[in-house]
Amino acid sequence: MRVREWDLRSASDAEIRSLVETLNQVLAADLPDDPPWQDVQVREYLAETMPGERRISWVAEDDRLPEGESTVFGHVTLLLLGDIGVLEVLVHPGLRRRGLGRQLVAVAARRAYLEGFSSIGVEAIGDTPAIPFYESLGFEREYVETRSVLTLSGVDWNALGSMAGSISSDYKVEYHPGGPPAELLEAYAQAKLEGQDEDNDLDLRPSSSDPQRLRDSLNTLHRRGLKPYIVLAMHEPTGVVAGLTEVVVPAQHPERADQYDTIVVREHRGYGIDRAIKARMLLELRGAEPELREVQTWNAQHNESMLKVNAELGFQPDRDWYEYGADVAQLVQRLEPTD
């Protein structure tokens, strides 16, 4: 098996298709209820990054064939993000337990070390082989959240409409497909900053909380084939953004949307904002995205208020999602080949 650095922008269409086929084999084995990926804007999804960030990729392929003409059996990306390198590793289920995953992590960890990064992180999905794999390499568990899934066919839309309207009269709920308008970016970013201050995770999926960074983030989402939808709660007496919720519909699997941030600014809590804006979002998505069948969200296990709101909306807990971290130098040393 050959592992080589892979330029996503110049990769052939056949290589991209092969990667998607392997990804769908992994999903079928590890997350059989998740929708398969379509070969739609996959190159852009993998290649596009925020300003100041870089993504480096490697593929594993049959070394008996010329480069680019074999099936992609494994893939690893290293996203250089702030002060941490973030790994994503993919190995065809038929080739697991043969050292390929270890080889992919080793090449990415070595690059992170050479790039001067001291920490590396990865997400691992509960009840999959990823958990014992990363723990065997010395990664330490640092954060846990629960993924919940809402099936739209089971939603009581009348009840949802009532929830969307159950908000204090001082607040106005606004729907913004594509992102917030330019005049609200600063207030929107300020609300995001409060939510970021209360987060305790590793920032493997950081939230933009600066107006320019937020603008760049929205542009990057669009380039990656991720269509954002935003619902805001505006406090009418002051004009501030009191609450927000974000959902992104990926071109790669439009049947299932991803919930991003839901934030209610501290001084505006207790007025039914979180429930109202999430209910309004679902009502809007019903008409805007005819292919949509499910919405998935992630919540920290200590966030009891949001877990309660999600349960009222109909979300069902699915499985735990873990964030692991490791010291880069120690990881490289651990993965060095021995004679």
Side-chain angles (χ1 to χ4, degrees):
M1 192 68 65
R2 173 178 57 230
V3 175
R4 63 180 173 91
E5 192 168 332
W6 193 42
D7 184 350
L8 287 158
R9 296 189 185 279
S10 63
S12 69
D13 291 342
E15 288 178 285
I16 298 294
R17 285 194 298 271
S18 179
L19 175 64
V20 173
E21 290 169 3
T22 293
L23 169 60
N24 284 333
Q25 289 291 323
V26 170
L27 287 175
D30 295 344
L31 296 168
D33 295 328
D34 281 30
W37 276 44
Q38 302 175 16
D39 184 8
V40 179
Q41 289 186 260
V42 172
R43 184 191 310 276
E44 293 80 4
Y45 177 86
L46 293 170
E48 293 290 343
T49 61
M50 289 278 287
E53 298 174 3
R54 287 185 293 142
R55 181 179 281 110
I56 308 168
S57 295
W58 294 262
V59 290
E61 59 190 4
D62 191 334
D63 57 9
R64 295 171 296 181
L65 296 171
E67 289 186 3
E69 296 183 13
S70 175
T71 299
V72 174
F73 291 111
H75 179 236
V76 59
T77 68
L78 173 66
L79 179 63
L80 301 176
L81 179 75
D83 60 355
I84 191 171
V86 182
L87 284 178
E88 290 187 25
V89 183
L90 192 72
V91 175
H92 192 286
L95 291 174
R96 290 174 174 171
R97 300 182 183 277
R98 301 187 189 182
L100 181 55
R102 183 184 179 93
Q103 187 179 357
L104 291 169
V105 172
V107 71
R110 167 60 64 176
R111 176 62 68 86
Y113 179 78
L114 294 174
E115 294 279 351
F117 284 74
S118 59
S119 299
I120 199 164
V122 67
E123 286 188 335
I125 304 167
D127 298 323
T128 69
I131 300 298
F133 171 69
Y134 288 114
E135 291 182 350
S136 73
L137 297 181
F139 281 82
E140 295 184 359
R141 186 180 299 179
E142 300 193 18
Y143 188 73
V144 184
E145 55 188 354
T146 299
R147 183 178 79 166
S148 299
V149 178
L150 173 67
T151 302
L152 297 184
S153 61
V155 169
D156 182 338
W157 295 103
N158 290 329
L160 206 69
S162 298
M163 292 182 196
S166 59
I167 189 171
S168 168
S169 60
D170 283 342
Y171 299 93
K172 176 177 66 173
V173 177
E174 298 180 355
Y175 166 63
H176 297 288
E183 64 269 18
L184 288 178
L185 273 177
E186 188 169 349
Y188 186 89
Q190 183 60 42
K192 297 263 288 184
L193 181 62
E194 173 161 332
Q196 196 173 61
D197 288 344
E198 295 181 354
D199 209 347
N200 297 313
D201 68 3
L202 285 177
D203 282 346
L204 303 188
R205 292 173 289 168
S207 173
S208 298
S209 54
D210 169 84
Q212 183 56 51
R213 184 83 175 161
L214 180 57
R215 187 179 291 109
D216 291 338
S217 177
L218 289 165
N219 291 335
T220 302
L221 286 175
H222 285 288
R223 291 197 305 271
R224 297 183 75 202
L226 307 173
K227 189 187 303 182
Y229 291 90
I230 310 294
V231 171
L232 305 178
M234 304 298 301
H235 185 234
E236 294 197 279
T238 61
V240 304
V241 174
L244 63 94
T245 190
E246 308 162 332
V247 167
V248 170
V249 179
Q252 298 80 20
H253 51 89
E255 301 93 343
R256 180 179 286 192
D258 295 325
Q259 173 81 59
Y260 280 20
D261 285 342
T262 297
I263 295 168
V264 178
V265 175
R266 184 179 300 278
E267 64 188 85
H268 297 282
R269 293 174 185 171
Y271 298 99
I273 291 175
D274 45 7
R275 182 185 299 102
I277 59 178
K278 294 196 76 167
R280 172 70 178 274
M281 175 67 80
L282 294 171
L283 290 167
E284 297 290 354
L285 288 173
R286 185 188 188 191
E289 293 288 339
E291 292 186 65
L292 190 63
R293 301 289 179 268
E294 298 168 315
V295 179
Q296 59 186 6
T297 187
W298 290 262
N299 295 104
Q301 296 175 336
H302 60 77
N303 192 349
E304 296 180 2
S305 61
M306 191 56 66
L307 290 170
K308 181 176 183 293
V309 168
N310 286 337
E312 291 173 354
L313 293 169
F315 283 87
Q316 297 293 320
D318 176 41
R319 65 175 71 207
D320 289 336
W321 227 260
Y322 303 97
E323 291 182 3
Y324 282 87
D327 178 271
V328 171
Q330 293 177 6
L331 182 61
V332 168
Q333 185 176 24
R334 194 176 296 119
L335 293 172
E336 284 291 336
T338 56
D339 296 331

